[in-house]
Every structure is written in C-alpha cells, then in structure tokens.
Amino acid sequence: MVETTPHIGQEEVPEAERGPSIWTQLFGISAFGPFVALIIVGAFFTLKSDRFLTGGNLSLVLQQTIEVGTLAIGQTLVILTAGIDLSNGAVMAFGSIVMTKLAVDSGVSPILAILIGIAACVGFGILNGALVTGIRLPAFIVTLGTLNIAFALTHIYSGEATISGLPGSMTWFGNTFTIGGTAITYGTVAMLILYAVAWFVLTQSPVGRHVYALGNNPEAVRLSGVHIRRLLIGVYATAGLIYGITAVLLVARTQVGDPAAGQTDNLDSITAVVLGGTSLFGGRGSVIGTLIGAVIVSIIRNGLTLLGVDSIYQVLITGILVIVAVAVDQLTRRGTRA
C-alpha cells in the first residue's frame, strides 16, 4: 500500500499523486514495454526491407507521425483523467478549415487566422469539459456528440471544398532543414517540443500530479481540496489547444485545408496512447509512451507499405494491436489488485 496524506500541494505529496518519476517516465514499466515493441518492430522491417532504415524513409515516418502523434498528446491528458475524446480528429479538421478559409477567402492575416482556428478548437475543448463536469455526462457520449457537431460544421463552413493557395507563413512548419543529408520538417521539431513540454508539466508540476491523482482516485482528490471541475475543464481545454496546434501542423504538411481530414484520427490517437502503455482506466501512463506508440503505428504502416501489403491489412493489424494492448492493461490491473 502507498501511504497518502489528506492534502495535495504540501511538501509531502503522496506517491500516487506525484505521477511517474523522471526515471519511470523514460525507462519505467509504462514506457519500457512499448520501447521494446518499437525495437522489435523496427528490427523486423529492417530485415525485411533494405529501404526501411534509410534517412529519407525514417524522416517520412516522423512526418507521418506528426498529425496523430500530436493529437495523441491531448488524448493522453484526457485518458489520464479516466476520460476519452472521440472528437479530436474532427475538431482538428474544423480548426484547419477555419484558419485556411479565413486566410484565403476572407483576407484575414495568416497569424490572426491561425489564432482564430486554434481558439475554435479550444472552444470545443471547453465545451467538452463543461458538459462532462457540469451535466456529468460520460466523456464517451459528450465527445461522440461534439465529433458530429465539429464534422458537420467543417463541411458546412467549407462548402465541401478543399482550400488551396495558402500563404507561405501558414505553411512554414512544412519547410525542412537538413541533418546528415536527411531532410527534417519544422513540424516534426514542433511535435517533439510539445511532447517535451507535456512531459515536463505532467511529471514536474502540481497540475500534472493532480491529473494523475484524478485518474487514480477522484474522491480523494476532491476531499483534498482540489477543484475537480476546474481541473477537468482545464484538461479538456488544453487538449483543444493541442488539437488546434495540430491543425496548424497538418495544414503546413498538406499545404491545403481539407474538410475530409482527420476522419480516423480519433481512433488512431487512442491506438497510440494505448500502445504507449497509458491505461484507459486513468491514472497511469506517460506521454513518452504515447510518442513511442505513435511511432510504432507509423512504422507498421510504413513498413507494410514498403513490403507491398494492402492498406486494409494495415488497419486490421492496428486493430489487433489495440485489443492486445488493452487486454494487457486489463490483466495488469487485475494482477495489481490481487
């Protein structure tokens, strides 16, 4: 049993409320399994294809990770509180259409258009958090509803048209620089910086400790004086902010505003989180694991493409991996309780 104290925020913070230590985050149980899986998957495709372990292909893998990988940061925050967000892909798509349409069709300055698009995503996050905490609806139902709202608004506002001819400042993150002859996009760097910031907040700040504690034992958090409603709304709003930033990175990578974007990203982001070792029941996991999970998904799809495997089998394998990961999490929880 882990000893606890009745007050969060004092010098002696319960271990369960601190979140994982630096060592655990980087090399502990929650990230160790996904890391081993990453090595195995990488080794397999290296042996199967001589094109896999090349600088150009690995750069492509990272570029393919940007969209789902960045969305998965917000998804991780929500899942750590024992919630789930099915709306993130649709919200991201809506934000991307708002910013691109304002910049191209309405003549709004690109920076202002980006800020408005991000604000729209934050608004959805606040709505999700308010409905989950205010009416106490299940996060699954709330975000399923906002998924449809965001999806409909995206297609209504865009008129089903893809928006092209974007200003250069809006696509800057799609530019590249070279390291050792390999082109790296600024969007990849931005994604990694976001992961570093999320890791620091979750492991080194009181807010991060409260997020973990909320997923572990919400009643204990309430009794300790933490304003749970404010914390949850903050988590969903922050997730919305991350979805808005993802919209910027998506637009930069694709060079267009696409109303059809992100249609499977909600499930893909959940896949990355689960494969990364974060428990769907909340309170356990790490963004480092989520990054590894997102890269695993990208490597599997990239490797199977190199081997000439049909895309439908890629979806099949990803689905099997999710079920296995959730089953392992469930068995682990039962073993811990026993």
Side-chain angles (χ1 to χ4, degrees), residues 34-310:
F35 181 73
V36 172
L38 175 64
I39 297 299
I40 293 173
V41 170
F44 174 80
F45 287 116
T46 298
L47 293 174
K48 290 294 184 178
S49 173
D50 56 4
R51 291 182 294 165
F52 176 76
L53 205 60
T54 61
N57 187 63
L58 294 180
S59 175
L60 179 61
V61 168
L62 288 176
Q63 291 178 49
Q64 293 172 336
T65 304
I66 291 174
E67 183 179 336
V68 171
T70 309
L71 282 177
I73 299 174
Q75 188 74 261
T76 302
L77 297 178
V78 173
I79 289 178
L80 282 174
T81 66
I84 199 164
D85 192 347
L86 298 178
S87 70
N88 59 4
V91 169
M92 174 201 68
F94 178 65
S96 69
I97 289 299
V98 168
M99 60 183 67
T100 54
K101 193 169 179 65
L102 286 175
V104 174
D105 293 349
S106 302
V108 177
S109 71
I111 300 301
L112 180 57
I114 287 173
L115 292 176
I116 294 173
I118 292 176
C121 294
V122 174
F124 267 101
I126 293 173
L127 176 62
N128 284 337
L131 290 174
V132 168
T133 60
I135 309 179
R136 298 191 177 183
L137 294 174
F140 180 91
I141 299 300
V142 168
T143 58
L144 181 61
T146 53
L147 178 157
N148 286 285
I149 293 171
F151 178 83
L153 290 177
T154 298
H155 287 266
I156 291 170
Y157 186 51
S158 67
E160 305 285 354
T162 299
I163 302 166
S164 57
L166 306 181
S169 55
M170 186 167 276
T171 60
W172 181 83
F173 282 105
N175 296 336
T176 62
F177 61 94
T178 303
I179 297 180
T182 300
I184 306 295
T185 65
Y186 290 105
T188 300
V189 176
M191 177 189 69
L192 295 176
I193 290 174
L194 285 173
Y195 267 98
V197 171
W199 170 84
F200 180 84
V201 171
L202 282 173
T203 63
Q204 307 300 311
S205 74
V207 172
R209 296 163 194 159
H210 295 165
V211 168
Y212 277 101
L214 182 60
N216 279 317
N217 193 336
E219 182 63 17
V221 175
R222 185 186 67 81
L223 293 174
S224 68
V226 174
H227 197 299
I228 291 181
R229 182 178 182 183
R230 187 180 304 158
L231 177 62
L232 271 177
I233 292 177
V235 166
Y236 280 93
T238 302
L241 173 64
I242 293 170
Y243 305 155
I245 295 173
T246 308
V248 178
L249 301 181
L250 171 66
V251 166
R253 188 172 73 85
T254 61
Q255 307 285 301
V256 297
D258 183 5
Q263 293 189 10
T264 63
D265 284 353
N266 54 353
L267 299 181
D268 288 342
S269 66
I270 295 171
T271 300
V273 173
V274 172
L275 289 179
T278 295
S279 173
L280 283 175
F281 303 96
R284 181 171 62 84
S286 72
V287 290
I288 299 298
T290 295
L291 175 59
I292 295 172
V295 173
I296 289 174
V297 172
S298 295
I299 284 178
I300 289 174
R301 292 182 175 175
N302 174 268
L304 292 176
T305 299
L306 291 177
L307 297 180
V309 177
D310 193 279

